[in-house]
Amino acid sequence: MIDGIKIYCEDLSPQTWERMPYLSFITIINEQTGEILNKKRYAQYQALYLEIKPSTIIKNKDNCYLHGSIAKYHNNGLDNAYDYDYQAFQNTLTDLENKLKINPEKAQLKNFEFGINITLPFPVKTALNHLKTYKSNSFSTMYTGRQNIGYIADYQQYTLKIYNKSIQAKINQPNLLRIEIQVKKMQYVKALNIHTLADLKKPEIWKYLANHLLNLWAECLYINEKDFNYKTMSDRTQKKFLRFIDPRYWDSLKEKKQRLRARQAYKKICNHYQNKEEKQIITTFIKEKLEKLKPKTVHQLTNPIPLKTVQNDKPNQKIKCPPFNPLDKELISTQNKNINKDRFLLENIKQKKPEKQTQKHIKKCLVCHQSLKNKNTHAKYCSKQCNNQYHTRKRKKMRQKIKITQIKNLNRIIQQIPKNNLWLTITYTNKKLTYTETLHQSEILSPAQWINKIKQIEIKGIRKNSPIITLTSLRAKKLIKQLTLINQKHTKNTLNN
């Protein structure tokens, strides 16, 4: 089950590895000058890669790192396309300690992988084609060379891989599917207190990782169109179903509520029209394989966690804490000092608030106040007539608000016309065509026939960086009339003088 690892061997000296006859370290040098270009040294030993590189913290010190597949190492470096169980894992750690002097208690884990291989009763390509999304996000394609072998769901702290193991390992074993989780950041498993290679030897860890793998598989959307009675669906249900089998539809759902409603709608279709569930067949194979790989006896925790009481209908009843909290959810640490540090953190059970005894609220129409008992849950009106009536009133209120603000702006502008230096963008209609002109306030001398054609005015220059003021209808016409009168008086005074 445990496969790839990357560890930092804290107590190991580089000279220990360099003295081993079956390890030969290489580095990068300049052929002409013989200068060592890279101080890192590498060695390979049965699918494991050993690395000695300078410390970035302490000067003149080299650190030892190891990464690779321990399942391949146990198989003499061939492949990991077999059942790597708990007993084999323990034997591998013993072998690493004897041959490479790696102390599991001192080997700090940087990342690791765990997964299983299952043999399907149908082609793996068929199963991969029916995978649609993981957590309502579409998968990325996984390649080996140029060949598509499966799918990946890549996240910041972990990666879920589902692929054809037969093609990837280049073996003659048909219908071999691998489901694998790569822990990229140890923060992802912080709740399980996994820090060293020895922590992975605990049987409880294998049990918890097995449950987590099942949880991640359960969150994959797997749809086989042949499992459904498509012909018996209504037209509306058929359209919904065709959307659900398209991964791009799930990518378009950005909000959590949208994805939740879509999943609920898909479950309803499954309940009514699904004959058999192919995903359940694969789930059964996964459970059987996990049961085979995990330790036969899981040791109980030395200090069992006390039961927590929850306020509910039966106040004296005790409720057990859940056995496993998914790793991608927040875990709350316990503060009990007497609890052993090796135990796993469990999710706190929140106390339920007592329900208030209130009468059921019956929804009513916003206009006529009739009951909406037989309507949709989101309905607000009893009929289309009430809908139109409500929005007519709403539009009228909006127009009244705009009118009041425009009247205030108009009165203020008329009072300050002599002080202002206004530029007006005037929109008017003539012979069913709309025209726009920009004029200074001193240029406006308009006859009454032209004023009646004005529709809108946008005013600039009241103050520096002030917003544009818009006047429509009678307010626009009134302003033009006022400016025309002022300009006419001004022209008469200038002619008389």
Side-chain angles (χ1 to χ4, degrees), residues 42-240:
Y42 309 90
Q44 185 177 356
Y45 180 65
Q46 291 186 5
L48 294 179
Y49 297 88
L50 293 78
E51 184 179 359
I52 301 173
K53 61 181 181 181
S55 172
T56 55
I57 301 172
I58 303 172
K59 289 184 178 180
N60 302 323
K61 183 190 176 184
D62 291 339
N63 294 331
C64 297
Y65 290 87
L66 179 143
H67 66 93
S69 172
I70 55 174
K72 287 183 181 179
Y73 173 80
H74 182 72
N75 197 21
N76 299 321
L78 296 176
D79 58 59
N80 58 351
Y82 67 99
D83 295 339
Y84 185 65
D85 58 8
Y86 179 73
Q87 188 60 45
F89 176 70
Q90 284 191 317
N91 295 339
T92 304
L93 295 191
T94 305
D95 194 54
L96 287 174
E97 193 168 4
N98 294 334
K99 290 185 178 179
L100 299 177
K101 306 303 177 186
I102 293 173
N103 182 3
E105 300 288 343
K106 298 291 184 179
Q108 295 182 15
L109 271 172
K110 297 299 180 182
N111 55 56
F112 69 97
E113 296 175 344
F114 61 98
I116 57 169
N117 303 308
I118 55 173
T119 304
L120 301 178
F122 46 84
V124 173
K125 188 177 180 180
T126 304
L128 293 173
N129 289 337
H130 296 156
L131 271 176
K132 305 299 179 184
T133 62
Y134 169 69
K135 286 190 174 180
S136 301
N137 296 319
S138 59
F139 285 95
S140 301
T141 308
M142 181 178 177
Y143 293 94
T144 176
R146 294 184 179 181
Q147 192 171 6
N148 174 5
I149 62 167
Y151 294 111
I152 289 179
D154 195 14
Y155 290 86
Q156 187 176 6
Q157 295 185 353
Y158 71 100
T159 301
L160 173 65
K161 303 177 186 177
I162 304 173
Y163 59 94
N164 192 330
K165 189 63 182 176
S166 303
I167 299 175
Q168 191 263 349
K170 297 179 181 178
I171 57 173
N172 188 18
Q173 189 176 349
N175 305 337
L176 190 64
L177 178 73
R178 182 166 179 84
I179 302 172
E180 185 176 273
I181 299 166
Q182 179 188 5
V183 179
K184 299 195 291 186
K185 306 257 184 188
M186 294 306 292
Q187 179 71 22
Y188 184 60
V189 290
K190 183 181 178 181
L192 299 180
N193 286 335
I194 300 175
H195 303 291
T196 63
L197 196 59
D199 292 332
L200 294 177
K201 292 171 66 176
K202 298 174 184 176
E204 306 96 295
I205 293 288
W206 280 61
K207 181 183 176 183
Y208 277 56
L209 294 179
N211 289 340
H212 186 59
L213 189 143
L214 268 174
N215 289 342
L216 264 61
W217 168 252
E219 293 197 41
C220 296
L221 185 66
Y222 186 99
I223 304 176
N224 184 0
E225 296 85 347
K226 294 180 181 179
D227 291 348
F228 293 82
N229 291 326
Y230 184 76
K231 292 182 180 179
T232 59
M233 296 180 189
S234 63
D235 292 342
R236 185 180 177 185
T237 308
Q238 285 180 354
K239 289 178 182 178
K240 277 187 179 181

Side-chain angles (χ1 to χ4, degrees), residues 361-366 368-375 379-383:
H361 177 68
I362 300 171
K363 289 184 71 176
K364 293 183 179 180
C365 175
L366 295 178
C368 64
H369 304 293
Q370 288 186 7
S371 174
L372 301 177
K373 187 177 180 181
N374 298 324
K375 293 284 182 179
K380 295 181 180 180
Y381 318 101
C382 62
S383 63

Side-chain angles (χ1 to χ4, degrees), residues 290-307:
L290 289 172
E291 193 66 31
K292 179 182 176 183
L293 297 180
K294 73 180 184 181
K296 293 180 181 179
T297 57
V298 178
H299 301 294
Q300 298 297 325
L301 300 175
T302 54
N303 297 323
I305 296 176
L307 300 177

Side-chain angles (χ1 to χ4, degrees), residues 425-429 434-437 453-458:
T425 303
I426 303 167
T427 304
Y428 62 95
T429 57
T434 303
Y435 302 91
T436 301
E437 292 184 8
K453 296 178 181 180
I454 294 173
K455 298 296 179 184
Q456 181 179 302
I457 296 174
E458 291 182 354

Side-chain angles (χ1 to χ4, degrees), residues 267-289:
K267 284 180 181 178
K268 285 182 180 179
I269 293 175
C270 291
N271 293 336
H272 287 88
Y273 302 101
Q274 193 173 22
N275 291 328
K276 61 177 182 178
E277 192 174 355
E278 196 173 278
K279 184 182 178 181
Q280 190 58 41
I281 298 171
I282 300 175
T283 305
T284 305
F285 280 102
I286 293 172
K287 287 180 179 178
E288 290 175 357
K289 185 56 66 75

Side-chain angles (χ1 to χ4, degrees), residues 2-28:
I2 305 294
D3 187 16
I5 59 167
K6 181 179 180 182
I7 55 173
Y8 163 52
C9 304
E10 185 180 358
D11 63 334
L12 192 63
S13 171
Q15 288 76 20
T16 306
W17 279 354
E18 289 173 342
R19 284 195 293 266
M20 293 179 180
Y22 42 85
L23 294 181
S24 58
F25 285 87
I26 59 172
T27 188
I28 302 172

Side-chain angles (χ1 to χ4, degrees), residues 304-318:
I305 296 176
L307 300 177
K308 296 186 178 182
T309 56
V310 182
Q311 187 175 354
N312 57 3
D313 297 334
K314 299 177 181 178
N316 296 324
Q317 184 181 1
K318 293 184 178 181

Side-chain angles (χ1 to χ4, degrees), residues 280-496:
Q280 190 58 41
I281 298 171
I282 300 175
T283 305
T284 305
F285 280 102
I286 293 172
K287 287 180 179 178
E288 290 175 357
K289 185 56 66 75
L290 289 172
E291 193 66 31
K292 179 182 176 183
L293 297 180
K294 73 180 184 181
K296 293 180 181 179
T297 57
V298 178
H299 301 294
Q300 298 297 325
L301 300 175
T302 54
N303 297 323
I305 296 176
L307 300 177
K308 296 186 178 182
T309 56
V310 182
Q311 187 175 354
N312 57 3
D313 297 334
K314 299 177 181 178
N316 296 324
Q317 184 181 1
K318 293 184 178 181
I319 297 179
K320 293 184 179 180
C321 292
F324 176 69
N325 196 335
L327 301 175
D328 53 352
K329 295 185 179 178
E330 184 180 2
L331 288 144
I332 305 167
S333 61
T334 179
Q335 295 178 354
N336 189 352
K337 294 181 181 179
N338 297 324
I339 296 175
N340 194 339
K341 291 182 181 179
D342 291 336
R343 290 195 298 114
F344 306 112
L345 304 177
L346 300 174
E347 186 180 16
N348 289 358
I349 301 177
K350 296 180 181 179
Q351 291 188 349
K352 296 180 182 177
K353 294 181 180 179
E355 296 181 358
K356 296 180 181 179
Q357 295 181 354
T358 55
Q359 292 183 353
K360 257 191 173 180
H361 177 68
I362 300 171
K363 289 184 71 176
K364 293 183 179 180
C365 175
L366 295 178
V367 179
C368 64
H369 304 293
Q370 288 186 7
S371 174
L372 301 177
K373 187 177 180 181
N374 298 324
K375 293 284 182 179
N376 190 356
T377 52
H378 304 291
K380 295 181 180 180
Y381 318 101
C382 62
S383 63
K384 186 68 177 175
Q385 184 180 358
C386 287
N387 188 343
N388 293 338
Q389 197 173 345
Y390 176 84
H391 286 95
T392 302
R393 292 175 187 172
K394 194 175 179 180
R395 286 192 294 270
K396 188 176 180 181
K397 285 182 182 179
M398 289 294 295
R399 287 196 298 270
Q400 289 294 331
K401 282 185 181 180
I402 293 169
K403 183 179 178 180
I404 290 167
T405 54
Q406 287 188 6
I407 289 171
K408 287 181 181 179
N409 290 333
L410 176 64
N411 294 334
R412 183 162 52 86
I413 291 167
I414 289 173
Q415 288 175 4
Q416 298 177 358
I417 282 175
K419 301 178 184 178
N420 288 333
N421 184 25
L422 303 179
W423 286 92
L424 292 84
T425 303
I426 303 167
T427 304
Y428 62 95
T429 57
N430 187 25
K431 294 181 180 179
K432 298 181 179 181
L433 296 174
T434 303
Y435 302 91
T436 301
E437 292 184 8
T438 303
L439 300 172
H440 191 262
Q441 67 177 44
S442 60
E443 297 176 338
I444 295 174
L445 287 167
S446 306
Q449 187 179 359
W450 186 83
I451 290 173
N452 290 333
K453 296 178 181 180
I454 294 173
K455 298 296 179 184
Q456 181 179 302
I457 296 174
E458 291 182 354
I459 304 165
K460 301 177 185 177
I462 294 178
R463 290 189 307 276
K464 189 176 181 181
N465 298 327
S466 62
I468 297 171
I469 294 175
T470 304
L471 299 177
T472 58
S473 189
L474 295 173
R475 278 77 63 193
K477 294 172 185 178
K478 186 176 180 180
L479 178 62
I480 297 297
K481 283 180 184 178
Q482 196 68 28
L483 289 171
T484 301
L485 290 172
I486 292 170
N487 291 335
Q488 283 176 351
K489 287 180 183 179
H490 183 70
T491 50
K492 284 182 181 178
N493 293 335
T494 52
L495 289 172
N496 292 332

